[in-house]
């Protein structure tokens, strides 16, 4: 069984969903420390041909000491309206932009004031639209403890994983700590490179954007052509 574990990020890129697609069980790592100005609260889109960050403001009091699952968004700022307006202007005239805008707007119009819940709702909605019916868990539901690769290993052991599918960004500390190497669980690292696609109104190509850029340009069905389950080393 293949297990992947990732923090729930805001409007993730295609590589994030490739990791979900390649796994049998996907775990949201929601009980890690919040990191301000990380992918936990922001991501990039393309607005009038230029990269633009969309950042979710959070209540900063004690935020650095909170777990991701505890961080509340700052609704005293009109960020939901701002993000919806920005996404509207960025993608509404794209071939599939209207539908993408409506799907994301439904989540932003919701009542949750927790960053983690908003992120997970967006990810789950996109997975559903892509017919990715995976078993999805949250790390705080799994009865194990630990730090860094020790925690990842214990989650995998609890789920009886044979392979752990890891993002490349975690390779350095996983290899340094060597805990997986001394276990029966094989670690494989995702080496995903985004395929090019036509970006509406642009002459070139800007990679590593939120998956909503891809969907708005080519539609839900053609996203399937951008998955790569053979990109693991």
């Amino acid at each position: 069984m293949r297990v992947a574990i990732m923090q729930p990020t805001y409007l993730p890129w295609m590589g994030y969903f490739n990791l979900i697609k390649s796994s049998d069980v996907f775990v949201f790592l929601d009980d890690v420390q919040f990191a301000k100005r990380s992918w936990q609260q922001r991501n990039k889109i393309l607005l009038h041909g230029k990269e633009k960050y969309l950042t979710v403001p959070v209540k900063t009091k004690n935020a650095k000491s909170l777990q991701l699952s505890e961080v509340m968004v700052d609704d005293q700022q009109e960020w939901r309206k701002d993000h919806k307006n920005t996404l509207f202007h960025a993608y509404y005239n794209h071939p599939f932009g209207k539908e993408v805008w409506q799907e994301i707007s439904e989540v932003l119009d919701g009542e949750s004031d927790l960053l983690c819940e908003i992120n997970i709702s967006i990810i789950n909605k996109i997975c559903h639209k892509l017919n990715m019916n995976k078993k999805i868990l949250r790390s705080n539901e799994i009865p194990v403890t630990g730090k860094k690769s020790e925690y990842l290993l214990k989650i995998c052991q609890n789920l009886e994983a044979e392979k752990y599918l890891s993002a490349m960004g975690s390779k350095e500390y996983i290899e340094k700590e060597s805990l997986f190497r001394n276990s029966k669980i094989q670690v494989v690292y995702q080496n995903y490179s985004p395929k090019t696609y036509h970006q509406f109104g642009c002459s070139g190509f800007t990679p590593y954007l939120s998956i909503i850029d891809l969907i708005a340009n080519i539609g839900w069905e053609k996203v399937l052509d951008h998955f790569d389950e053979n990109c693991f080393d």
Side-chain angles (χ1 to χ4, degrees):
M1 183 176 67
R2 299 165 299 178
V3 173
I5 307 169
M6 288 288 288
Q7 298 177 21
T9 59
Y10 186 61
L11 300 175
W13 75 302
M14 179 63 194
Y16 191 104
F17 291 92
N18 191 76
L19 201 60
I20 298 175
K21 180 72 162 54
S22 302
S23 66
D24 298 307
V25 179
F26 182 80
V27 180
F28 285 119
L29 191 63
D30 61 353
D31 53 357
V32 294
Q33 185 175 354
F34 172 68
K36 190 175 181 181
R37 299 190 68 79
S38 70
W39 299 119
Q40 294 173 352
Q41 68 174 133
R42 68 177 184 172
N43 223 307
K44 294 186 294 183
I45 63 167
L46 208 59
L47 177 64
H48 306 316
K50 296 182 180 180
E51 290 186 9
K52 179 176 177 57
Y53 278 100
L54 288 180
T55 302
V56 180
V58 300
K59 295 183 178 180
T60 56
K61 185 177 181 180
N62 300 322
K64 290 183 179 180
S65 63
L66 296 177
Q67 292 184 349
L68 176 56
S69 61
E70 301 171 319
V71 174
M72 299 180 69
V73 299
D74 184 2
D75 279 326
Q76 289 188 341
Q77 302 182 47
E78 294 188 347
W79 71 271
R80 297 177 194 255
K81 180 180 178 181
D82 178 63
H83 284 203
K84 287 171 58 180
N85 287 341
T86 301
L87 290 171
F88 181 93
H89 290 297
Y91 295 117
Y92 205 76
N93 290 325
H94 285 49
F96 301 90
K98 180 179 179 179
E99 184 178 354
V100 174
W101 182 82
Q102 290 173 336
E103 295 290 341
I104 302 302
S105 292
E106 283 184 9
V107 178
L108 298 183
D109 287 338
E111 297 181 354
S112 179
D113 58 0
L114 290 171
L115 174 64
C116 187
E117 298 301 321
I118 293 169
N119 291 352
I120 288 175
S121 293
I122 290 173
I123 295 166
N124 283 339
K125 181 177 279 287
I126 292 173
C127 285
H128 175 73
K129 293 290 293 185
L130 295 174
N131 294 316
M132 289 165 49
N133 300 313
K134 302 290 182 174
K135 182 176 182 180
I136 296 181
L137 304 171
R138 301 191 187 196
S139 58
N140 65 15
E141 301 170 337
I142 300 172
V144 298
T145 59
K147 295 182 178 180
K148 289 194 173 183
S149 64
E150 177 193 17
Y151 190 36
L152 302 178
L153 176 60
K154 286 184 177 180
I155 291 173
C156 289
Q157 290 172 331
N158 180 271
L159 298 175
E160 299 182 349
E162 297 170 338
K163 284 187 178 181
Y164 172 52
L165 309 185
S166 172
M168 188 60 74
S170 302
K171 182 176 182 177
E172 183 177 353
Y173 76 81
I174 289 176
E175 294 298 315
K176 183 178 180 180
E177 295 177 358
S178 301
L179 297 179
F180 272 94
R181 193 177 303 161
N182 298 321
S183 75
K184 296 180 180 180
I185 299 171
Q186 179 187 4
V187 181
V188 289
Y189 297 98
Q190 181 182 235
N191 188 21
Y192 180 85
S193 296
K195 299 178 183 179
T196 60
Y197 54 92
H198 175 67
Q199 292 171 320
F200 184 79
C202 299
S203 57
F205 176 68
T206 304
Y208 302 106
L209 302 173
S210 167
I211 194 175
I212 62 174
D213 184 86
L214 175 64
I215 299 167
N217 279 288
I218 70 173
W220 299 98
E221 292 184 4
K222 290 188 177 180
V223 169
L224 300 177
D225 298 332
H226 287 252
F227 285 112
D228 182 5
E229 295 195 22
N230 298 313
C231 66
F232 292 90
D233 301 326

